Amino acid sequence: MGSLQVFLDRFGPSSQAESGWLQNLFTFVHQHLSPCAGGPAHCAAVDQSAAGEPICGPAHSINQSASGASCDQGVCELSVCVVEKIQEQSCLSSSRPVSYRPLSVSELLSQQHLACVSNLSWSTNQHRAWAGEAELSLPGQRALPRVSLLLIGWLREGRGGEWRLADGSGSVRCELTCPSPLWMNRLVFLPHWNYIPHDASGRDQERGHLELIGSPELLRPRAEQGLAAGPGGAGLDGALSVREAAGVLRNRVRGQRVSVVGQVGSVRPLLEVAGSSFFFFCLVEDEQTVPVLVKDSNLWWSQCVCVGLRVCVTALRVCVLRGWRGNNVLCVTDRSQIHTGYTQHHTHTLKQTLEHTLSGTTHSQPHTHSEESEPPPPSPDDHLQMDQEEAEPEEDPVQSGVRIKRSRVISYQGTVTEVVSEGAGLYVLDRKVGLCLAYQPPGRRKLRPGDQVELHHVHFLYRPCPDLPPSMLCCCLGSSLRVTAFSRVGGASCDRSCPGDGVLPRLLLQNNRGVDQYLWTCHLASQLAHSLVPAGPHHPPLPQCVCLLSWKLSETLWTPRGPGPRDIYSEMLDQPHSCPLDQYQVDPCVPQLLSVSELLQSLSSLLPPGGSGLSRSQVNSALSWSCRTLTSDPGTGDGLRPRPLLLVGVLQLPSERSEFRQTLQLRDATAAVGCVATETREDGGQRAAFNTAWIGSLVCVRRFAMVTERFLQSEFPSCQHLDQDRFISHRSGRVYLQFSLDHLVILCPSVTMVTHLRMKGAEPGSDEEESSAMKKRRPDEAVSSSVTMTTLPEGGASLPCVTMVIKVESKGGVAWRNTGMGRDGEAGLELGFSATALLIGPVVSWGRDPRNEPMMEREAGPEREEKVLLVFSGVAARWFPVLQPSSVYRLTALNTQDPSVLIGSSVPGQRGAELHSDSSLQVRSDWRFHTLTRPLLLLHTWTQTPPPPVLTVSQVLDCRSEVVSFQGRISERVGLMARKGRAGHAHTGVRLTMCDQSGRSLCVYLDLSHAPYTPGLLPGNEVLLSRFLRKISRSGGVYCSLSPVSCVTVTSLGDSCRLAPPPPAPSMHLAQWASSRCVQAQVRGHLVCVLHLQLQWSCCRCGSVYTQVCSSRCGSSSSGFRSTAKLVMDDGTAEAHVWLSGQPVQTVLGLADSQWEGLQSAVRVRGHIQVRPRGRSQGTPGDPEDVLLRFLLSLCSSDVISRQLSLTCRKRTNQSSAELRRFSRGDRDFLTRLAPPLQLTCTHLDPPTC
């Protein structure tokens, strides 16, 4: 090791630490950088560098017979050069940086697993200040940790134009901001760099990369390259200006080589087409532009050229670009070289004047084209001026608020502050401006928070997507993006879901779509990743990528509006510029996706509409049951929103922990919610959901209504105490959805749904050709979309089983039953129900589960009336939501070949007794039901056994049956309180007022003390009430009540899930109504007189008369005005007494709003007044000249009262019977029976007519 001693002697006496450091550095150079250890390529590089020759192309072989002495001498000289460069860059002036150690490339890749930064010239205080500034600019991010490592190697050209740092052990990719071409193939020392290791997910096959945050130090001098003119004027002496080069393009000369000097006006992204990689940059001068095509071995120029830099390119030839309408471009050759920063007198620097736009800075282009001049960049205060350049708004056939706008091409520089989705190419600059890179090919290096970028020829869009920042920058193939400073913080975007794998940009490349649609699809993918992918690392992955789901859902919801196939050459080179980003759509009503948990939290307050005039009893009665709705339609429901809502989840049967055991569930990764679902019958009407194929399907609910019901048992003194929970003794609430299955979009069908969609439309009895064609149709043809997915089977598809086809005739409601089958083997209450079914055929054995495949001939037996009673309890009761009368199902018992398991047991009878009961069958928890729709059935099985009749409300009122099944619309719902001292919930009953199209109504009483709560019992919904008891009240009215076998089923939700108003009450004469059992009707007659009028200010707490204070001294300070009146009305057939309260009293008296307010003020002074025009009135005691009393008496006797009225009234319960009356006429007495006047309560008063 004589060369080592020579090397140590060059630096004189040193400490032990410095001596050891120098020895280690010499050993590193000898092992990884010397010609003897680095291989032929390294030897060639070192020899050429020592000789001052340029290193271009592959290295030549070295004479392998070189002496060991010359090799050691080269190592010594190189080691000395390295030490000198390190000493120059070190922050230590009096000593050597012994804490820094050299590291080979292979050691860096294998040992350094964390992102880090190395800067030899920093002191400790400088690094702390640098780290503090980085973390302050990006809250929540940690600055890169500092390491003391030295990197030395050759800068080489890699694949696809990348730069690499290489030594004897390997190479690593390098990222540079604006490198000099003179650095290529040079031995360098890197004093300032970042290292970013490979992605933790393992998707980055290149493992890690270096980021040069400072210029490298060249270790050996290099002779200047000769720039004399070559053949064809390719040298510097014959360099042409851009204007002269444009003339050469127009007059092509074969074999001509030219050199061109100019300023870089634009740089296009590097593309790979058909295995060939290339990129363009344009040289500009005044109004002339020359495109230059770079490919093959010169692709590394892509990091050397940037907008505004002045370059000289030699040995260019003129070629014809066939894909660009035959236009000519300049193309580099094997002898081409590029020189940056060259001018004849001085170097022209790029002057950047970037005006502030919204949250960043933009600037106009330094040189503009004659055909397309750049508009001035927008600013925060002039974004409204952009409308002057927009196209005329185009009306959308569905949404009138949709507008088509034109983008603006600007330049921008800013800092990446957030990575929205790395795989989708979405970022946020300066915390306010969005950036979309999806319309460009993905770069080798992904942007990280903290990167400073410079964008040129980028499209500015305003509000293309309401879920992303309002200001969006989108890069096309004509845009350029350059990182001007690398991030100081570590950690790349960590996408937990598949938006990070680049699926969406690949789909965008295959199916070109508008930028507004793509941005919404990206946001939808992130929302689906949150709602469908369970949180935590231990959950299994989804069967299909959420990116594909979001793309498919976007295809379904959006009308195809793509600009057509992209012309890459025209997009990069055409003037004026044309690309898919020129126009975009602004739609403020884009659907908004919510997770189930977010939806459940959207309605927090359920306080009823305020009213200071409500009394204590009225307030607590109104709060006892309250209902609020949130519909997907933004214009309906209790909460108005500008955007419609979407829900995505899997439809499931209810579980044992479900709040509603009678409904389906919509579940995602965040929560589950009960669903009252209906679907369309073959005749177009609505019915309850019956098709089991929906179970397990991933669906999107487009139109729905979320219903929140709250139950309170309270003792609020007044409406002013509603914010005090101490007055609430019991509180409960229930939340569920209402929708029709017709408004669902199938994103990922279950196996049975695939069969259902394949067979849908094949009616039984059709031609054999049509049936065979339907059977041969593939499952994937059922869903028309570029993305088709199917969920995995539930299991058991290959297990042996036995099946039986049944047709449900009736079913009972779910209730708590003592089945003697408790969980611990003891007797207990379990939820259960029973259903009566007709056996279509015998029990059939299968080698595999047929699920809902078409019905076979062997499954249909001879026509018979054999029935079975199916008993469901415990887990088996989950089938209640999908088992509907008149529907056919295949009952399957898996993992058995014994037919007896599906044969019901009969009830044993005594000798001589004739049994009329059906056999019963206890349904097990692992049995399954599959719906067989009409296309899956045989013809004779569909036509046999007509469905049982269903009555209307009018028919129930007129019939004499004791047990009835009828259907009607709910017009009113009233909760019934439990008696005091009764255990359990306070609300154990419901009174429903049912009506039909005729307007006749019927009261139905539901006792829910032994059954779970039934959702969907809301005004406007139609329900089917099966096997209810018809009863007659003491007053002669008809009502219905539950029986042990009764069942309530919601069959229709009205139009678009809206709570539709009830039909109008029937119009009747008073005499006709007196003999009818109708409760509510419309009457029209003449107002005869006012029998009673009472005006009073009442205390809201106790209801006593209120003047300045409460008369009962309860201490309440709130009061309300109440008005009641009793009228006599005659329509020519009979007479009625009508009670009015509230606003109808003002209408009857004919007072204007100002007069009514004045009357209230007059009554406030005394608190109370009663007027009886035909009796004794109560005014101010001792005041015979009571002005207010005289005014009201005069008003009640005036002609204003006597006029025609049209009212909707309800019959009161205290109707008196007819009585005998004696009349005397002369000397004769007459005794007759007179019917008393009807006692009515006015519910609605039409405006009176004169």
Side-chain angles (χ1 to χ4, degrees), residues 423-424 499 501-509 518 521-522 525 547 550-551:
D501 60 8
V503 172
L504 292 177
R506 289 198 295 271
L507 290 174
L508 179 64
L509 182 63
Y518 176 77
T521 304
C522 293
C547 296
S550 63
W551 191 271

Side-chain angles (χ1 to χ4, degrees), residues 426-487:
L426 295 180
Y427 305 87
V428 176
L429 305 179
D430 304 323
R431 296 187 177 90
K432 293 183 180 179
V433 180
L435 175 63
C436 176
L437 304 179
Y439 286 81
Q440 281 192 346
R444 291 183 300 267
R445 178 188 180 274
K446 304 299 182 180
L447 295 180
R448 297 188 292 118
D451 285 340
Q452 297 182 17
V453 296
E454 183 178 282
L455 301 164
H456 293 277
H457 297 90
V458 64
H459 292 262
F460 177 83
L461 295 78
Y462 190 70
R463 297 190 183 279
C465 178
D467 299 302
L468 296 177
S471 301
M472 289 294 301
L473 301 177
C474 298
C475 294
C476 65
L477 295 181
S479 308
S480 63
L481 182 147
R482 184 173 70 93
V483 179
T484 58
F486 296 113
S487 173

Side-chain angles (χ1 to χ4, degrees), residues 795-804 843-851 858-859 890-899 901-902 926-928 930:
S798 59
L799 297 178
C801 62
V802 291
T803 65
M804 178 175 60
V843 180
V844 179
S845 300
W846 301 80
R848 61 174 184 87
D849 187 2
R851 300 183 186 274
R858 59 174 179 160
E859 293 184 276
R890 177 182 281 130
L891 174 59
T892 304
L894 294 174
N895 203 19
T896 182
Q897 289 285 327
D898 184 9
V901 298
L902 294 182
D926 59 340
W927 291 0
R928 298 177 182 174
H930 295 286

Side-chain angles (χ1 to χ4, degrees), residues 384-395:
L384 295 178
Q385 298 178 2
M386 298 175 59
D387 295 339
Q388 299 176 0
E389 297 186 11
E390 296 171 2
E392 289 295 329
E394 299 181 6
E395 293 293 332

Side-chain angles (χ1 to χ4, degrees), residues 433-712:
V433 180
L435 175 63
C436 176
L437 304 179
Y439 286 81
Q440 281 192 346
R444 291 183 300 267
R445 178 188 180 274
K446 304 299 182 180
L447 295 180
R448 297 188 292 118
D451 285 340
Q452 297 182 17
V453 296
E454 183 178 282
L455 301 164
H456 293 277
H457 297 90
V458 64
H459 292 262
F460 177 83
L461 295 78
Y462 190 70
R463 297 190 183 279
C465 178
D467 299 302
L468 296 177
S471 301
M472 289 294 301
L473 301 177
C474 298
C475 294
C476 65
L477 295 181
S479 308
S480 63
L481 182 147
R482 184 173 70 93
V483 179
T484 58
F486 296 113
S487 173
R488 302 180 182 183
V489 298
S493 63
C494 184
D495 282 347
R496 181 173 59 91
S497 55
C498 54
D501 60 8
V503 172
L504 292 177
R506 289 198 295 271
L507 290 174
L508 179 64
L509 182 63
Q510 300 171 6
N511 308 276
N512 192 21
R513 308 189 69 187
V515 60
D516 50 296
Q517 299 178 1
Y518 176 77
L519 294 177
W520 184 80
T521 304
C522 293
H523 176 75
L524 184 64
S526 64
Q527 293 293 100
L528 289 176
H530 167 70
S531 61
L532 298 182
V533 180
H538 303 294
H539 290 277
L542 287 177
Q544 295 292 343
C545 179
V546 294
C547 296
L548 301 179
L549 292 177
S550 63
W551 191 271
K552 180 177 181 179
L553 182 57
S554 176
E555 285 182 334
T556 305
L557 299 179
W558 290 76
T559 303
R561 186 181 45 83
R566 297 175 66 179
D567 188 342
I568 60 173
Y569 298 111
S570 298
E571 189 172 332
M572 290 188 291
L573 302 176
D574 267 358
Q575 298 180 19
H577 177 68
S578 173
C579 74
L581 301 178
D582 288 339
Q583 290 186 349
Y584 63 99
Q585 179 175 288
V586 176
D587 185 3
C589 298
V590 174
Q592 179 183 4
L593 178 69
L594 292 181
S595 65
V596 175
S597 61
E598 292 173 340
L599 184 71
L600 297 180
Q601 299 170 3
S602 59
L603 285 181
S604 58
S605 176
L606 286 178
L607 292 179
S612 58
L614 294 179
S615 65
R616 177 177 182 173
S617 60
Q618 290 173 330
V619 168
N620 292 292
S621 176
L623 286 176
S624 63
W625 178 82
S626 55
C627 176
R628 298 291 183 271
T629 60
L630 175 68
T631 63
S632 58
D633 187 352
T636 61
D638 296 332
L640 299 181
R641 303 165 316 282
R643 301 171 58 186
L645 300 179
L646 297 176
L647 282 177
V648 173
V650 179
L651 282 178
Q652 295 179 342
L653 293 174
S655 63
E656 289 187 279
R657 299 180 180 179
S658 301
E659 183 180 12
F660 301 109
R661 300 295 296 273
Q662 311 97 312
T663 64
L664 295 174
Q665 274 190 339
L666 183 72
R667 178 179 292 275
D668 63 7
T670 61
V673 62
C675 305
V676 178
T678 62
E679 56 183 307
T680 304
R681 298 194 303 259
E682 288 78 4
D683 57 0
Q686 290 288 314
R687 64 173 299 179
F690 69 98
N691 197 341
T692 58
W694 289 98
I695 300 174
S697 298
L698 181 66
V699 298
C700 172
V701 189
R702 299 185 59 178
R703 299 173 65 182
F704 64 90
M706 188 186 78
V707 181
T708 304
E709 298 184 36
R710 189 177 71 171
F711 305 88
L712 286 182

Side-chain angles (χ1 to χ4, degrees), residues 402-433:
V402 177
R403 291 192 302 169
I404 303 298
K405 304 177 72 173
R406 295 192 62 86
S407 63
R408 303 180 65 185
V409 179
I410 64 172
S411 294
Y412 186 91
Q413 66 178 8
T415 303
V416 179
T417 54
E418 181 185 353
V419 179
V420 179
S421 176
E422 181 182 287
L426 295 180
Y427 305 87
V428 176
L429 305 179
D430 304 323
R431 296 187 177 90
K432 293 183 180 179
V433 180

Side-chain angles (χ1 to χ4, degrees), residues 94-134:
S94 58
S95 61
R96 297 180 178 88
V98 295
S99 61
Y100 281 80
R101 67 180 180 92
L103 193 71
S104 66
V105 172
S106 62
E107 293 174 333
L108 177 69
L109 296 176
S110 61
Q111 300 178 8
Q112 188 63 36
H113 302 296
L114 298 177
C116 59
V117 59
S118 178
N119 198 322
L120 185 61
S121 61
W122 286 349
S123 65
T124 303
N125 292 335
Q126 288 175 325
H127 174 73
R128 289 176 180 174
W130 175 89
E133 182 181 351

